[in-house]
Structures are given as structure tokens and as C-alpha cells.
Amino acid sequence: MDTREIHIAMKPLSVNEAWQGRRFKTDKYEAYEMEMLLRLPPGRLPQPPYRVYYEFGFSNKKADFDNPCKPLGDILQKKYGFNDNEIYEAHIVKKIVKKGSEYITVKIEHITL
């Protein structure tokens, strides 16, 4: 398996720094957030720090694998009462599925730093 590792000595740009002015939730996002909050099971998370696994089943091959990560992370922290700055590792998987079979799978686990 070929591997390429690239190191860039540069401060990462945050989502908040990427746009000017305030961003407001769309009606579609608010409906999505409400439905996700209802569908997520109750419970508690392990102690931070965290490693997360996100798997997205998209029906559109052109969907960017990382677009749903920030909304999902924000909804998870709202539901489970943690701060996403406690996530130190993430594994993101994009799968292509038939239209109508889209899904999201999440796994959150404690890691030792």
C-alpha cells in the first residue's frame, strides 16, 4: 500500500475564521438538528478525551466526505453535553448507498493521550 505523509508548518484555519460575520442556522438545519436529537439514544459518554468514528452512507457519489462532520459534532455535543475540543482523533468513512438508504453511524470512545 502506498502512503504519502505531508507535514505543513502552518496554523490550521478554523471554521469560525473562514467566514465573515455571523452564520445563522437554516430552517433545514434546524429541522435536521431536531430530528437527530430525537433519534439519538439517551445515555452518557465515556470520559474524555475522545476518538470518534463517523460513517456516512451517501447516495450521491459527489458528496464531500467531511461536510456533515461539523453539524454532526455540534449536535452530538448538544445531546451528550461535551465539548468537541475534547475530540483528539477522528476516523471518517464515506460509503455509497442506494437513494433512500442513506445513514449515519457514530462511535465515540475514550482514548489515552
Side-chain angles (χ1 to χ4, degrees):
M1 178 191 222
D2 290 336
T3 302
R4 182 173 183 191
E5 183 173 320
I6 300 169
H7 177 81
I8 301 168
M10 183 175 172
K11 181 181 175 183
L13 185 67
S14 76
V15 170
N16 295 329
E17 294 170 316
W19 289 277
Q20 287 185 329
R22 290 185 53 112
R23 289 174 282 142
F24 297 94
K25 292 179 183 176
T26 64
D27 291 343
K28 189 172 184 175
Y29 179 87
E30 287 183 357
Y32 175 79
E33 178 182 52
M34 182 62 69
E35 186 169 348
M36 284 288 293
L37 289 170
L38 292 171
R39 288 181 180 222
L40 286 166
R44 300 176 60 131
L45 296 182
Q47 290 296 310
Y50 300 117
R51 173 187 300 127
V52 297
Y53 294 89
Y54 296 159
E55 183 175 309
F56 301 105
F58 293 107
S59 60
N60 181 352
K61 290 180 182 180
K62 293 183 180 183
D64 291 343
F65 81 99
D66 61 341
N67 274 351
C69 292
K70 182 64 175 158
L72 178 59
D74 289 347
I75 293 167
L76 290 171
Q77 68 180 339
K78 188 173 191 175
K79 176 74 173 192
Y80 298 114
F82 72 99
N83 191 320
D84 62 1
N85 69 7
E86 297 170 325
I87 298 172
Y88 282 79
E89 231 178 276
H91 183 80
I92 305 162
V93 176
K94 170 183 171 178
K95 297 221 174 157
I96 303 303
V97 299
K98 292 181 180 180
K99 192 167 183 78
S101 298
E102 296 86 357
Y103 68 89
I104 300 167
T105 300
V106 176
K107 179 179 173 184
I108 303 172
E109 60 187 19
H110 168 79
I111 58 170
T112 303
L113 296 178

